[in-house]
Amino acid sequence: MQSRLSVDALLELMYQGSLETLYMVGVAAVFTLLLGLPTGVLLVVTRPGGVLPLPRLNMVLGIGINIGRSLPFVVLLIALIPLTRLVVGTSLGSTAAIVPITLGAFPFFARVVESALDEVDKGRVEAVLAMGGSGWHVVVKALLPEALPALLAGLTLTVVMLIGFSSMAGVVGGGGLGDLAIRYGYQRFDDKVMAGTVVMLLLLVQLVQGVGDRLVRALAHRR
């Protein structure tokens, strides 16, 4: 059994691991939003009876999203190693982990967007169309503004999920708190490291959820 880490070394590792986790989650959240939001919008507007009905495109998108959501993230991590190496140049480290984290999360967020847009009052959509608005006007004038609180709540839920994904990325050397927990907490049997990483992840989740809930409530109150 290897020697336990000193308190100073543990704090340094926790600090670095937390920064790497924040980096992975932050960047992956941006890419998840950029990919998931338009995909979710397309799922709504291209369905039969939508403002821009394209049934074949809708079917392809739906199948692709369902496949992405059905794969366990650990399996996806391993399966995407060749793609990660192609995109980033390596499959190790926090930057490399962003690729599978994003591809694992954006199908979920796309469905969240679809669900949020489905809750919009159809009268709003009909009013825009009655005034001569196009499909684009329906999206930017009715769907997205009306669904904003639900979209923000869904994004908060997705970011919490990203924190969990970033931890699992440590299985393949993804860096961050998950990698720290595996390399020092599990492989070296250091209970202090394991407990510290668990506490930090819990704090991150609570912080994200708390901020997200406050923003949703503030937005809903304004409306």
PDB file of all heavy atoms in Angstrom, residues 8-32:
ATOM      1  N   ASP A   8      -1.433  19.150   2.704  1.00  0.00           N
ATOM      2  CA  ASP A   8      -1.105  20.155   1.686  1.00  0.00           C
ATOM      3  C   ASP A   8      -1.165  19.562   0.284  1.00  0.00           C
ATOM      4  O   ASP A   8      -1.693  20.191  -0.648  1.00  0.00           O
ATOM      5  CB  ASP A   8       0.289  20.732   1.944  1.00  0.00           C
ATOM      6  CG  ASP A   8       0.342  21.603   3.184  1.00  0.00           C
ATOM      7  OD1 ASP A   8      -0.739  22.050   3.624  1.00  0.00           O
ATOM      8  OD2 ASP A   8       1.446  21.823   3.714  1.00  0.00           O
ATOM      9  N   ALA A   9      -0.635  18.358   0.119  1.00  0.00           N
ATOM     10  CA  ALA A   9      -0.674  17.711  -1.194  1.00  0.00           C
ATOM     11  C   ALA A   9      -2.107  17.394  -1.595  1.00  0.00           C
ATOM     12  O   ALA A   9      -2.483  17.541  -2.767  1.00  0.00           O
ATOM     13  CB  ALA A   9       0.162  16.436  -1.171  1.00  0.00           C
ATOM     14  N   LEU A  10      -2.911  16.964  -0.622  1.00  0.00           N
ATOM     15  CA  LEU A  10      -4.309  16.660  -0.905  1.00  0.00           C
ATOM     16  C   LEU A  10      -5.059  17.912  -1.358  1.00  0.00           C
ATOM     17  O   LEU A  10      -5.806  17.880  -2.337  1.00  0.00           O
ATOM     18  CB  LEU A  10      -4.964  16.069   0.338  1.00  0.00           C
ATOM     19  CG  LEU A  10      -6.481  15.835   0.258  1.00  0.00           C
ATOM     20  CD1 LEU A  10      -6.802  14.855  -0.868  1.00  0.00           C
ATOM     21  CD2 LEU A  10      -7.016  15.331   1.596  1.00  0.00           C
ATOM     22  N   LEU A  11      -4.850  19.021  -0.652  1.00  0.00           N
ATOM     23  CA  LEU A  11      -5.528  20.275  -1.011  1.00  0.00           C
ATOM     24  C   LEU A  11      -5.113  20.742  -2.401  1.00  0.00           C
ATOM     25  O   LEU A  11      -5.946  21.244  -3.164  1.00  0.00           O
ATOM     26  CB  LEU A  11      -5.220  21.351   0.031  1.00  0.00           C
ATOM     27  CG  LEU A  11      -5.832  21.130   1.423  1.00  0.00           C
ATOM     28  CD1 LEU A  11      -5.383  22.219   2.378  1.00  0.00           C
ATOM     29  CD2 LEU A  11      -7.361  21.092   1.338  1.00  0.00           C
ATOM     30  N   GLU A  12      -3.832  20.585  -2.721  1.00  0.00           N
ATOM     31  CA  GLU A  12      -3.355  20.979  -4.046  1.00  0.00           C
ATOM     32  C   GLU A  12      -3.999  20.130  -5.135  1.00  0.00           C
ATOM     33  O   GLU A  12      -4.438  20.653  -6.171  1.00  0.00           O
ATOM     34  CB  GLU A  12      -1.829  20.854  -4.106  1.00  0.00           C
ATOM     35  CG  GLU A  12      -1.221  21.189  -5.472  1.00  0.00           C
ATOM     36  CD  GLU A  12      -1.413  22.627  -5.862  1.00  0.00           C
ATOM     37  OE1 GLU A  12      -1.619  23.477  -4.967  1.00  0.00           O
ATOM     38  OE2 GLU A  12      -1.367  22.919  -7.076  1.00  0.00           O
ATOM     39  N   LEU A  13      -4.071  18.823  -4.898  1.00  0.00           N
ATOM     40  CA  LEU A  13      -4.703  17.944  -5.869  1.00  0.00           C
ATOM     41  C   LEU A  13      -6.196  18.243  -6.010  1.00  0.00           C
ATOM     42  O   LEU A  13      -6.739  18.231  -7.132  1.00  0.00           O
ATOM     43  CB  LEU A  13      -4.509  16.483  -5.457  1.00  0.00           C
ATOM     44  CG  LEU A  13      -3.113  15.889  -5.667  1.00  0.00           C
ATOM     45  CD1 LEU A  13      -3.034  14.505  -5.046  1.00  0.00           C
ATOM     46  CD2 LEU A  13      -2.771  15.820  -7.148  1.00  0.00           C
ATOM     47  N   MET A  14      -6.857  18.522  -4.898  1.00  0.00           N
ATOM     48  CA  MET A  14      -8.275  18.843  -4.950  1.00  0.00           C
ATOM     49  C   MET A  14      -8.515  20.138  -5.719  1.00  0.00           C
ATOM     50  O   MET A  14      -9.478  20.253  -6.486  1.00  0.00           O
ATOM     51  CB  MET A  14      -8.835  18.966  -3.530  1.00  0.00           C
ATOM     52  CG  MET A  14      -8.825  17.669  -2.740  1.00  0.00           C
ATOM     53  SD  MET A  14      -9.959  16.429  -3.418  1.00  0.00           S
ATOM     54  CE  MET A  14     -11.495  17.268  -3.212  1.00  0.00           C
ATOM     55  N   TYR A  15      -7.637  21.104  -5.521  1.00  0.00           N
ATOM     56  CA  TYR A  15      -7.754  22.384  -6.222  1.00  0.00           C
ATOM     57  C   TYR A  15      -7.603  22.194  -7.731  1.00  0.00           C
ATOM     58  O   TYR A  15      -8.422  22.686  -8.524  1.00  0.00           O
ATOM     59  CB  TYR A  15      -6.712  23.364  -5.681  1.00  0.00           C
ATOM     60  CG  TYR A  15      -6.670  24.677  -6.409  1.00  0.00           C
ATOM     61  CD1 TYR A  15      -7.685  25.616  -6.240  1.00  0.00           C
ATOM     62  CD2 TYR A  15      -5.612  24.983  -7.257  1.00  0.00           C
ATOM     63  CE1 TYR A  15      -7.638  26.832  -6.909  1.00  0.00           C
ATOM     64  CE2 TYR A  15      -5.563  26.193  -7.932  1.00  0.00           C
ATOM     65  CZ  TYR A  15      -6.579  27.115  -7.757  1.00  0.00           C
ATOM     66  OH  TYR A  15      -6.536  28.319  -8.427  1.00  0.00           O
ATOM     67  N   GLN A  16      -6.555  21.471  -8.120  1.00  0.00           N
ATOM     68  CA  GLN A  16      -6.325  21.233  -9.545  1.00  0.00           C
ATOM     69  C   GLN A  16      -7.450  20.400 -10.158  1.00  0.00           C
ATOM     70  O   GLN A  16      -7.910  20.669 -11.280  1.00  0.00           O
ATOM     71  CB  GLN A  16      -4.978  20.536  -9.745  1.00  0.00           C
ATOM     72  CG  GLN A  16      -3.772  21.388  -9.404  1.00  0.00           C
ATOM     73  CD  GLN A  16      -3.658  22.611 -10.309  1.00  0.00           C
ATOM     74  OE1 GLN A  16      -4.046  22.582 -11.474  1.00  0.00           O
ATOM     75  NE2 GLN A  16      -3.114  23.681  -9.771  1.00  0.00           N
ATOM     76  N   GLY A  17      -7.888  19.373  -9.427  1.00  0.00           N
ATOM     77  CA  GLY A  17      -8.974  18.542  -9.930  1.00  0.00           C
ATOM     78  C   GLY A  17     -10.273  19.317 -10.097  1.00  0.00           C
ATOM     79  O   GLY A  17     -11.009  19.110 -11.069  1.00  0.00           O
ATOM     80  N   SER A  18     -10.537  20.230  -9.162  1.00  0.00           N
ATOM     81  CA  SER A  18     -11.753  21.044  -9.253  1.00  0.00           C
ATOM     82  C   SER A  18     -11.694  21.976 -10.455  1.00  0.00           C
ATOM     83  O   SER A  18     -12.692  22.147 -11.173  1.00  0.00           O
ATOM     84  CB  SER A  18     -11.938  21.859  -7.968  1.00  0.00           C
ATOM     85  OG  SER A  18     -12.102  21.009  -6.849  1.00  0.00           O
ATOM     86  N   LEU A  19     -10.529  22.578 -10.696  1.00  0.00           N
ATOM     87  CA  LEU A  19     -10.374  23.454 -11.857  1.00  0.00           C
ATOM     88  C   LEU A  19     -10.576  22.684 -13.158  1.00  0.00           C
ATOM     89  O   LEU A  19     -11.231  23.172 -14.085  1.00  0.00           O
ATOM     90  CB  LEU A  19      -8.993  24.119 -11.847  1.00  0.00           C
ATOM     91  CG  LEU A  19      -8.738  25.184 -10.780  1.00  0.00           C
ATOM     92  CD1 LEU A  19      -7.333  25.752 -10.944  1.00  0.00           C
ATOM     93  CD2 LEU A  19      -9.770  26.301 -10.864  1.00  0.00           C
ATOM     94  N   GLU A  20     -10.009  21.485 -13.226  1.00  0.00           N
ATOM     95  CA  GLU A  20     -10.174  20.677 -14.436  1.00  0.00           C
ATOM     96  C   GLU A  20     -11.631  20.276 -14.642  1.00  0.00           C
ATOM     97  O   GLU A  20     -12.127  20.281 -15.773  1.00  0.00           O
ATOM     98  CB  GLU A  20      -9.294  19.429 -14.351  1.00  0.00           C
ATOM     99  CG  GLU A  20      -7.800  19.718 -14.449  1.00  0.00           C
ATOM    100  CD  GLU A  20      -6.962  18.458 -14.316  1.00  0.00           C
ATOM    101  OE1 GLU A  20      -7.550  17.376 -14.104  1.00  0.00           O
ATOM    102  OE2 GLU A  20      -5.733  18.557 -14.434  1.00  0.00           O
ATOM    103  N   THR A  21     -12.314  19.948 -13.545  1.00  0.00           N
ATOM    104  CA  THR A  21     -13.730  19.589 -13.655  1.00  0.00           C
ATOM    105  C   THR A  21     -14.556  20.782 -14.127  1.00  0.00           C
ATOM    106  O   THR A  21     -15.426  20.646 -15.007  1.00  0.00           O
ATOM    107  CB  THR A  21     -14.258  19.087 -12.309  1.00  0.00           C
ATOM    108  OG1 THR A  21     -13.598  17.865 -11.969  1.00  0.00           O
ATOM    109  CG2 THR A  21     -15.759  18.836 -12.361  1.00  0.00           C
ATOM    110  N   LEU A  22     -14.302  21.953 -13.557  1.00  0.00           N
ATOM    111  CA  LEU A  22     -15.020  23.160 -13.981  1.00  0.00           C
ATOM    112  C   LEU A  22     -14.755  23.469 -15.449  1.00  0.00           C
ATOM    113  O   LEU A  22     -15.663  23.876 -16.182  1.00  0.00           O
ATOM    114  CB  LEU A  22     -14.611  24.343 -13.105  1.00  0.00           C
ATOM    115  CG  LEU A  22     -15.099  24.308 -11.655  1.00  0.00           C
ATOM    116  CD1 LEU A  22     -14.473  25.455 -10.872  1.00  0.00           C
ATOM    117  CD2 LEU A  22     -16.622  24.406 -11.598  1.00  0.00           C
ATOM    118  N   TYR A  23     -13.522  23.264 -15.872  1.00  0.00           N
ATOM    119  CA  TYR A  23     -13.161  23.491 -17.283  1.00  0.00           C
ATOM    120  C   TYR A  23     -13.918  22.533 -18.195  1.00  0.00           C
ATOM    121  O   TYR A  23     -14.530  22.954 -19.189  1.00  0.00           O
ATOM    122  CB  TYR A  23     -11.650  23.320 -17.443  1.00  0.00           C
ATOM    123  CG  TYR A  23     -11.179  23.176 -18.867  1.00  0.00           C
ATOM    124  CD1 TYR A  23     -11.256  24.236 -19.762  1.00  0.00           C
ATOM    125  CD2 TYR A  23     -10.643  21.976 -19.319  1.00  0.00           C
ATOM    126  CE1 TYR A  23     -10.817  24.106 -21.070  1.00  0.00           C
ATOM    127  CE2 TYR A  23     -10.192  21.834 -20.622  1.00  0.00           C
ATOM    128  CZ  TYR A  23     -10.286  22.895 -21.493  1.00  0.00           C
ATOM    129  OH  TYR A  23      -9.847  22.759 -22.780  1.00  0.00           O
ATOM    130  N   MET A  24     -13.904  21.256 -17.859  1.00  0.00           N
ATOM    131  CA  MET A  24     -14.603  20.272 -18.680  1.00  0.00           C
ATOM    132  C   MET A  24     -16.095  20.555 -18.740  1.00  0.00           C
ATOM    133  O   MET A  24     -16.706  20.553 -19.818  1.00  0.00           O
ATOM    134  CB  MET A  24     -14.364  18.855 -18.139  1.00  0.00           C
ATOM    135  CG  MET A  24     -12.991  18.292 -18.404  1.00  0.00           C
ATOM    136  SD  MET A  24     -12.874  16.534 -17.922  1.00  0.00           S
ATOM    137  CE  MET A  24     -12.883  16.679 -16.140  1.00  0.00           C
ATOM    138  N   VAL A  25     -16.693  20.794 -17.589  1.00  0.00           N
ATOM    139  CA  VAL A  25     -18.133  21.007 -17.526  1.00  0.00           C
ATOM    140  C   VAL A  25     -18.518  22.299 -18.241  1.00  0.00           C
ATOM    141  O   VAL A  25     -19.503  22.345 -18.994  1.00  0.00           O
ATOM    142  CB  VAL A  25     -18.608  21.033 -16.065  1.00  0.00           C
ATOM    143  CG1 VAL A  25     -20.066  21.467 -15.970  1.00  0.00           C
ATOM    144  CG2 VAL A  25     -18.434  19.665 -15.421  1.00  0.00           C
ATOM    145  N   GLY A  26     -17.748  23.369 -18.034  1.00  0.00           N
ATOM    146  CA  GLY A  26     -18.064  24.647 -18.660  1.00  0.00           C
ATOM    147  C   GLY A  26     -18.014  24.591 -20.175  1.00  0.00           C
ATOM    148  O   GLY A  26     -18.952  25.017 -20.860  1.00  0.00           O
ATOM    149  N   VAL A  27     -16.923  24.052 -20.710  1.00  0.00           N
ATOM    150  CA  VAL A  27     -16.779  23.976 -22.169  1.00  0.00           C
ATOM    151  C   VAL A  27     -17.793  23.010 -22.761  1.00  0.00           C
ATOM    152  O   VAL A  27     -18.426  23.288 -23.792  1.00  0.00           O
ATOM    153  CB  VAL A  27     -15.344  23.572 -22.549  1.00  0.00           C
ATOM    154  CG1 VAL A  27     -15.216  23.413 -24.067  1.00  0.00           C
ATOM    155  CG2 VAL A  27     -14.342  24.603 -22.050  1.00  0.00           C
ATOM    156  N   ALA A  28     -17.977  21.859 -22.112  1.00  0.00           N
ATOM    157  CA  ALA A  28     -18.951  20.882 -22.609  1.00  0.00           C
ATOM    158  C   ALA A  28     -20.364  21.446 -22.558  1.00  0.00           C
ATOM    159  O   ALA A  28     -21.183  21.154 -23.445  1.00  0.00           O
ATOM    160  CB  ALA A  28     -18.867  19.596 -21.791  1.00  0.00           C
ATOM    161  N   ALA A  29     -20.670  22.268 -21.559  1.00  0.00           N
ATOM    162  CA  ALA A  29     -22.002  22.870 -21.471  1.00  0.00           C
ATOM    163  C   ALA A  29     -22.249  23.813 -22.649  1.00  0.00           C
ATOM    164  O   ALA A  29     -23.353  23.849 -23.205  1.00  0.00           O
ATOM    165  CB  ALA A  29     -22.155  23.617 -20.148  1.00  0.00           C
ATOM    166  N   VAL A  30     -21.233  24.575 -23.028  1.00  0.00           N
ATOM    167  CA  VAL A  30     -21.370  25.489 -24.174  1.00  0.00           C
ATOM    168  C   VAL A  30     -21.640  24.701 -25.451  1.00  0.00           C
ATOM    169  O   VAL A  30     -22.568  25.007 -26.215  1.00  0.00           O
ATOM    170  CB  VAL A  30     -20.118  26.361 -24.331  1.00  0.00           C
ATOM    171  CG1 VAL A  30     -20.173  27.155 -25.642  1.00  0.00           C
ATOM    172  CG2 VAL A  30     -19.966  27.305 -23.150  1.00  0.00           C
ATOM    173  N   PHE A  31     -20.841  23.657 -25.693  1.00  0.00           N
ATOM    174  CA  PHE A  31     -21.022  22.861 -26.908  1.00  0.00           C
ATOM    175  C   PHE A  31     -22.345  22.084 -26.875  1.00  0.00           C
ATOM    176  O   PHE A  31     -22.996  21.907 -27.914  1.00  0.00           O
ATOM    177  CB  PHE A  31     -19.855  21.900 -27.102  1.00  0.00           C
ATOM    178  CG  PHE A  31     -18.615  22.558 -27.618  1.00  0.00           C
ATOM    179  CD1 PHE A  31     -17.460  22.593 -26.859  1.00  0.00           C
ATOM    180  CD2 PHE A  31     -18.602  23.158 -28.860  1.00  0.00           C
ATOM    181  CE1 PHE A  31     -16.307  23.208 -27.337  1.00  0.00           C
ATOM    182  CE2 PHE A  31     -17.457  23.775 -29.356  1.00  0.00           C
ATOM    183  CZ  PHE A  31     -16.313  23.801 -28.591  1.00  0.00           C
ATOM    184  N   THR A  32     -22.735  21.621 -25.691  1.00  0.00           N
ATOM    185  CA  THR A  32     -24.017  20.926 -25.558  1.00  0.00           C
ATOM    186  C   THR A  32     -25.172  21.856 -25.903  1.00  0.00           C
ATOM    187  O   THR A  32     -26.127  21.463 -26.584  1.00  0.00           O
ATOM    188  CB  THR A  32     -24.189  20.391 -24.130  1.00  0.00           C
ATOM    189  OG1 THR A  32     -23.158  19.440 -23.853  1.00  0.00           O
ATOM    190  CG2 THR A  32     -25.542  19.722 -23.949  1.00  0.00           C
TER     191      THR A  32
END
